[in-house]
Amino acid sequence: TTTSVKEFPLFGEDCIMNAKPCFGDNSDATYFASFPEYTINDDQFYVIIGVDHMRSSTGAKYSSVVAGSSIKHLGIEEFNSIDHMKGSSSAYLDRSHEHRDSVYATTLRRNCTGCDFCMEIGTGLLGLPEEEPPNF
């Protein structure tokens, strides 16, 4: 019987430098703890903006934003370059803006009814408790 052992890279830089899928940490990402430290109610929202690196000239394959709960150690909602970011900055940047296509903009709300490019975080079992600030 022949046993096959597959490579399982865990160090992000090794994966990137050798063009292999990575199954562990990738230090080219930024992770914040509880920032900002303001809770969000039904009448409030955050506007989150950034560079869609997949559509910029950086050669990146993916960009994402995740809103989550530090208490639950859980990502609640995500906004990514493949499914969500394209065209999201149009509400904020004029058509003539040079970098409009490589910038994203989304809102984080408790209820996204009637809102385009929105990340919804409820308060239920998989939501964010009202007393907890979102984690980005």
Side-chain angles (χ1 to χ4, degrees):
T1 311
T2 304
T3 303
S4 175
V5 178
K6 297 201 180 229
E7 187 176 341
F8 192 74
L10 293 175
F11 187 62
E13 283 76 9
D14 289 342
C15 303
I16 293 168
M17 304 235 340
N18 296 304
K20 294 181 180 182
C22 190
F23 304 104
D25 177 43
N26 191 343
S27 63
D28 71 344
T30 302
Y31 300 96
F32 298 107
S34 290
F35 176 82
E37 295 189 13
Y38 300 103
T39 58
I40 183 171
N41 64 37
D42 292 340
D43 299 325
Q44 299 171 319
F45 61 92
Y46 287 100
V47 176
I48 304 159
I49 59 171
V51 176
D52 179 350
H53 293 284
M54 190 176 99
R55 288 182 177 80
S56 69
S57 60
T58 63
K61 303 293 184 204
Y62 186 79
S63 291
S64 70
V65 175
V66 177
S69 166
S70 295
I71 294 171
K72 295 179 181 180
H73 303 287
L74 175 72
I76 297 171
E77 189 63 35
E78 59 96 23
F79 190 78
N80 69 65
S81 55
I82 295 171
D83 301 316
H84 310 110
M85 290 182 180
K86 187 174 183 179
S88 63
S89 66
S90 61
Y92 302 94
L93 297 175
D94 186 79
R95 287 179 185 247
S96 64
H97 192 281
E98 179 182 3
H99 301 290
R100 177 179 162 174
D101 293 336
S102 61
V103 175
Y104 69 84
T106 182
T107 56
L108 177 69
R109 301 171 187 261
R110 291 284 182 185
N111 184 332
C112 287
T113 303
C115 300
D116 293 330
F117 303 109
C118 182
M119 298 167 56
E120 184 170 318
I121 52 167
T123 56
L125 178 64
L126 297 178
L128 185 71
E130 291 180 7
E131 66 279 358
E132 182 185 357
N135 175 327
F136 296 102

